[in-house]
Amino acid sequence: MLKLNAIGLFVNDMETMVSFYRDVMGMKTDWTGDANAELYSDNARLIMFSRKNFENMTSRTYTYPNGLNGTIELAFDVANFMEVDIQYAKVVKAGAMPVFPPTDEPWGQRTSYVADPDGNLIEISSFVNE
């Protein structure tokens, strides 16, 4: 059986994206400028490789979304509804692009969205209303 062990992003600029997920989103990494990067948030692993290097490696040309990428989201869970608001404000102040402000949804979740420098959507949410 296959086991999913990471989410990978092919990125425009490694330095920009690693810095964003490390400095803005608080992920851990020991990346030193290598061709690929690994970042961690608890047990979740995010890997990155430049689009140019991937195309060179596979000898193919790919198309990439322009602007906001509505095909995928990276979901970050926080402790409670109040923390959604706190973390949303924190990452927007640190450089994330605001997409959807913290909102209570009818299914019992407080959710918000920002975007990274390549336009990938990031959800910050909680189901705990304390």
Side-chain angles (χ1 to χ4, degrees):
M1 170 124 179
L2 297 174
K3 177 184 170 187
L4 180 65
N5 72 354
I7 301 296
L9 297 176
F10 297 111
V11 304
N12 283 320
D13 181 275
M14 290 290 289
E15 181 67 40
T16 297
M17 291 293 280
V18 171
S19 295
F20 176 84
Y21 280 95
R22 181 190 60 222
D23 302 337
V24 176
M25 299 306 300
M27 297 186 78
K28 305 294 181 209
T29 186
D30 60 2
W31 186 71
T32 59
D34 299 330
N36 59 324
E38 294 186 15
L39 296 99
Y40 298 89
S41 176
D42 291 327
N43 293 325
R45 185 167 69 113
L46 179 63
I47 57 177
M48 293 181 196
F49 196 62
S50 85
R51 292 174 178 178
K52 183 178 123 195
N53 287 346
F54 184 65
E55 289 183 356
N56 289 339
M57 181 182 84
T58 61
S59 300
R60 295 187 72 140
T61 300
Y62 299 90
T63 58
Y64 304 99
N66 289 318
L68 293 176
N69 178 2
T71 61
I72 189 171
E73 75 172 43
L74 301 177
F76 288 77
D77 188 38
V78 295
N80 55 49
F81 280 22
M82 184 186 304
E83 194 67 21
V84 172
D85 295 35
I86 292 167
Q87 292 302 318
Y88 176 85
K90 179 181 172 185
V91 301
V92 167
K93 184 177 181 181
M97 184 175 92
V99 174
F100 183 71
T103 303
D104 292 340
E105 298 297 348
W107 50 84
Q109 179 186 32
R110 185 156 180 83
T111 190
S112 63
Y113 285 89
V114 297
D116 70 21
D118 278 354
N120 298 302
L121 295 178
I122 300 166
E123 181 183 36
I124 301 168
S125 70
S126 180
F127 282 95
V128 179
N129 187 3
E130 292 180 346

